[in-house]
Coordinates of all heavy atoms in Angstrom, one line a residue:
A1 N 75.5 -38.2 -148.5 CA 76.9 -37.9 -148.4 C 77.3 -36.5 -148.0 O 78.2 -36.1 -147.2 CB 77.6 -38.1 -149.7
T2 N 76.5 -35.4 -148.5 CA 76.7 -34.1 -148.2 C 76.4 -33.8 -146.7 O 77.3 -33.1 -146.1 CB 75.7 -33.2 -149.0 OG1 75.9 -33.4 -150.5 CG2 75.8 -31.7 -148.6
L3 N 75.4 -34.4 -146.2 CA 75.0 -34.2 -144.8 C 76.2 -34.8 -143.9 O 76.6 -34.2 -142.9 CB 73.8 -34.8 -144.4 CG 72.5 -34.1 -144.9 CD1 71.2 -35.0 -144.8 CD2 72.3 -32.8 -144.3
R4 N 76.6 -36.0 -144.2 CA 77.8 -36.6 -143.4 C 79.1 -35.7 -143.5 O 79.7 -35.6 -142.6 CB 78.0 -38.0 -144.0 CG 76.8 -39.0 -143.7 CD 77.2 -40.4 -143.8 NE 76.1 -41.4 -143.6 CZ 75.3 -41.8 -144.4 NH1 75.4 -41.5 -145.8 NH2 74.3 -42.6 -144.2
G5 N 79.3 -35.3 -144.7 CA 80.4 -34.4 -144.8 C 80.4 -33.2 -144.0 O 81.5 -32.6 -143.6
L6 N 79.2 -32.7 -143.7 CA 79.0 -31.5 -142.9 C 78.9 -31.8 -141.4 O 78.7 -30.9 -140.6 CB 77.7 -30.7 -143.5 CG 77.8 -29.9 -144.8 CD1 76.6 -29.4 -145.1 CD2 78.9 -28.9 -144.8
G7 N 78.9 -33.0 -141.1 CA 78.8 -33.5 -139.7 C 77.4 -33.8 -139.2 O 77.2 -34.0 -137.9
A8 N 76.5 -33.9 -140.1 CA 75.2 -34.3 -139.6 C 75.0 -35.6 -139.0 O 75.7 -36.5 -139.5 CB 74.2 -34.1 -140.7
V9 N 74.2 -35.7 -138.0 CA 74.0 -37.1 -137.3 C 72.5 -37.3 -137.5 O 71.6 -36.5 -137.1 CB 74.4 -37.0 -135.9 CG1 74.1 -38.3 -135.1 CG2 75.8 -36.6 -135.7
A10 N 72.1 -38.5 -137.9 CA 70.7 -38.9 -138.1 C 70.0 -39.1 -136.8 O 70.4 -39.8 -135.9 CB 70.6 -40.0 -139.1
V11 N 68.7 -38.6 -136.7 CA 67.9 -38.9 -135.5 C 66.5 -39.2 -136.1 O 66.2 -38.7 -137.1 CB 67.8 -37.6 -134.6 CG1 69.1 -37.4 -133.8 CG2 67.3 -36.4 -135.2
P12 N 65.8 -40.0 -135.5 CA 64.4 -40.4 -135.9 C 63.3 -39.4 -135.6 O 63.6 -38.5 -134.9 CB 64.1 -41.7 -135.0 CG 64.8 -41.5 -133.8 CD 66.1 -40.9 -134.2
R13 N 62.3 -39.4 -136.6 CA 61.2 -38.5 -136.3 C 60.4 -38.8 -135.1 O 60.4 -40.0 -134.7 CB 60.3 -38.4 -137.6 CG 61.1 -37.7 -138.8 CD 60.1 -37.4 -140.0 NE 59.3 -36.5 -139.5 CZ 58.3 -35.8 -140.4 NH1 58.3 -36.3 -141.6 NH2 57.7 -34.8 -140.0
G14 N 59.5 -38.1 -134.8 CA 58.5 -38.4 -133.6 C 58.5 -37.1 -132.7 O 59.0 -36.1 -133.0
E15 N 58.1 -37.4 -131.5 CA 58.0 -36.3 -130.5 C 58.8 -36.6 -129.3 O 60.0 -36.3 -129.4 CB 56.5 -36.0 -130.1 CG 55.7 -35.6 -131.4 CD 54.2 -35.1 -131.1 OE1 54.0 -34.9 -129.8 OE2 53.5 -34.8 -132.0
H16 N 58.2 -37.0 -128.3 CA 59.0 -37.3 -127.0 C 60.2 -38.2 -127.3 O 61.3 -37.9 -127.0 CB 58.2 -37.8 -125.9 CG 58.9 -38.1 -124.7 ND1 59.4 -37.0 -123.8 CD2 59.3 -39.2 -124.0 CE1 60.1 -37.6 -122.9 NE2 60.2 -38.9 -123.0
R17 N 59.8 -39.3 -127.9 CA 60.9 -40.3 -128.1 C 62.1 -39.8 -128.9 O 63.3 -40.0 -128.8 CB 60.4 -41.7 -128.7 CG 61.4 -42.7 -128.9 CD 60.8 -44.0 -129.1 NE 59.9 -44.1 -130.3 CZ 59.1 -45.0 -130.6 NH1 59.2 -46.1 -130.0 NH2 58.2 -44.9 -131.7
A18 N 61.7 -39.0 -129.9 CA 62.7 -38.4 -130.8 C 63.5 -37.4 -130.2 O 64.7 -37.2 -130.3 CB 62.0 -37.8 -132.2
A19 N 62.8 -36.7 -129.3 CA 63.6 -35.6 -128.6 C 64.6 -36.1 -127.6 O 65.8 -35.6 -127.5 CB 62.5 -34.6 -127.8
Q20 N 64.2 -37.3 -127.0 CA 65.2 -37.9 -126.2 C 66.2 -38.6 -126.9 O 67.4 -38.4 -126.4 CB 64.5 -39.0 -125.3 CG 65.3 -39.6 -124.2 CD 65.8 -38.6 -123.2 OE1 65.0 -37.7 -122.8 NE2 67.0 -38.8 -122.8
A21 N 65.9 -39.0 -128.0 CA 67.0 -39.8 -128.8 C 68.0 -38.7 -129.3 O 69.2 -39.0 -129.3 CB 66.4 -40.5 -130.0
A22 N 67.5 -37.5 -129.6 CA 68.3 -36.5 -130.1 C 69.3 -35.9 -129.0 O 70.6 -35.8 -129.2 CB 67.5 -35.2 -130.6
L23 N 68.8 -35.9 -127.8 CA 69.6 -35.5 -126.7 C 70.8 -36.5 -126.3 O 71.8 -36.2 -126.1 CB 68.9 -35.2 -125.4 CG 68.0 -33.8 -125.4 CD1 67.1 -33.8 -124.1 CD2 68.8 -32.6 -125.5
E24 N 70.4 -37.7 -126.5 CA 71.2 -38.9 -126.2 C 72.3 -38.9 -127.2 O 73.5 -39.2 -127.0 CB 70.5 -40.1 -126.1 CG 69.7 -40.2 -124.8 CD 68.7 -41.5 -124.7 OE1 68.8 -42.3 -125.7 OE2 68.1 -41.6 -123.7
T25 N 71.9 -38.7 -128.5 CA 72.9 -38.6 -129.5 C 73.8 -37.5 -129.4 O 75.1 -37.7 -129.6 CB 72.1 -38.6 -131.0 OG1 71.2 -39.8 -131.2 CG2 73.2 -38.5 -132.1
A26 N 73.3 -36.4 -129.1 CA 74.1 -35.1 -129.0 C 75.2 -35.4 -127.8 O 76.4 -35.1 -127.8 CB 73.4 -33.9 -128.7
L27 N 74.6 -36.0 -126.7 CA 75.5 -36.3 -125.5 C 76.7 -37.2 -126.0 O 77.8 -37.1 -125.4 CB 74.7 -36.9 -124.4 CG 75.5 -37.2 -123.0 CD1 76.1 -35.8 -122.5 CD2 74.5 -37.7 -122.0
G28 N 76.3 -38.2 -126.8 CA 77.4 -39.2 -127.3 C 78.4 -38.4 -128.1 O 79.6 -38.8 -127.9
V29 N 78.1 -37.4 -128.9 CA 79.1 -36.6 -129.6 C 80.1 -35.9 -128.6 O 81.3 -35.8 -128.7 CB 78.4 -35.6 -130.5 CG1 79.5 -34.6 -131.1 CG2 77.7 -36.3 -131.7
L30 N 79.4 -35.3 -127.6 CA 80.2 -34.6 -126.6 C 81.1 -35.5 -125.8 O 82.2 -35.2 -125.4 CB 79.3 -33.7 -125.7 CG 78.5 -32.7 -126.4 CD1 77.3 -32.0 -125.5 CD2 79.4 -31.5 -126.9
D31 N 80.5 -36.6 -125.3 CA 81.2 -37.6 -124.5 C 82.5 -38.1 -125.3 O 83.5 -38.5 -124.8 CB 80.4 -38.7 -124.2 CG 79.4 -38.4 -123.0 OD1 79.6 -37.4 -122.3 OD2 78.4 -39.1 -122.7
S32 N 82.5 -38.0 -126.7 CA 83.5 -38.4 -127.4 C 84.6 -37.3 -127.7 O 85.5 -37.4 -128.5 CB 83.1 -39.1 -128.7 OG 82.5 -38.2 -129.4
G33 N 84.3 -36.2 -127.1 CA 85.2 -35.1 -127.3 C 84.9 -34.2 -128.4 O 85.7 -33.4 -128.9
G34 N 83.7 -34.3 -128.9 CA 83.4 -33.6 -130.3 C 82.7 -32.2 -129.8 O 82.3 -31.9 -128.9
A35 N 82.5 -31.4 -131.0 CA 81.7 -30.1 -130.8 C 80.4 -30.4 -131.4 O 80.1 -31.2 -132.5 CB 82.4 -29.1 -131.8
F36 N 79.4 -29.9 -130.8 CA 78.0 -30.1 -131.2 C 77.3 -28.8 -131.3 O 77.4 -27.9 -130.5 CB 77.2 -31.0 -130.2 CG 75.8 -31.2 -130.6 CD1 75.4 -32.2 -131.5 CD2 74.7 -30.5 -130.0 CE1 74.1 -32.4 -131.9 CE2 73.4 -30.7 -130.3 CZ 73.1 -31.8 -131.3
G37 N 76.5 -28.7 -132.5 CA 75.8 -27.3 -132.7 C 74.4 -27.5 -132.5 O 73.7 -28.5 -132.8
I38 N 73.7 -26.5 -131.9 CA 72.4 -26.6 -131.6 C 71.7 -25.3 -131.6 O 72.3 -24.2 -131.3 CB 72.1 -27.2 -130.1 CG1 70.7 -27.4 -129.7 CG2 72.8 -26.2 -129.0 CD1 70.5 -28.1 -128.3
H39 N 70.4 -25.2 -131.9 CA 69.7 -23.9 -132.0 C 68.6 -23.9 -130.8 O 67.7 -24.8 -130.9 CB 68.9 -23.7 -133.3 CG 69.8 -23.7 -134.4 ND1 70.7 -22.6 -134.6 CD2 70.0 -24.5 -135.5 CE1 71.3 -22.8 -135.7 NE2 71.0 -24.0 -136.2
P40 N 68.9 -23.4 -129.7 CA 68.0 -23.5 -128.5 C 66.6 -23.0 -128.8 O 65.7 -23.4 -128.0 CB 68.7 -22.6 -127.5 CG 70.2 -22.7 -127.8 CD 70.2 -22.6 -129.3

């Protein structure tokens, strides 16, 4: 509940597949007009 309250979005663990899922999830946030935080 705390994570959701802070705007966290769940992504699966793993390597390449997880990285791709993370980017697609982030893109979904942006496509819906939201703000997305990232540490490059």
Side-chain angles (χ1 to χ4, degrees):
T2 299
L3 288 171
R4 292 190 181 98
L6 291 174
V9 179
V11 292
R13 294 193 69 174
E15 296 192 10
H16 175 74
R17 184 165 54 184
Q20 186 61 38
L23 287 175
E24 291 172 357
T25 299
L27 186 58
V29 171
L30 296 168
D31 285 345
S32 66
F36 181 77
I38 188 172
H39 299 293

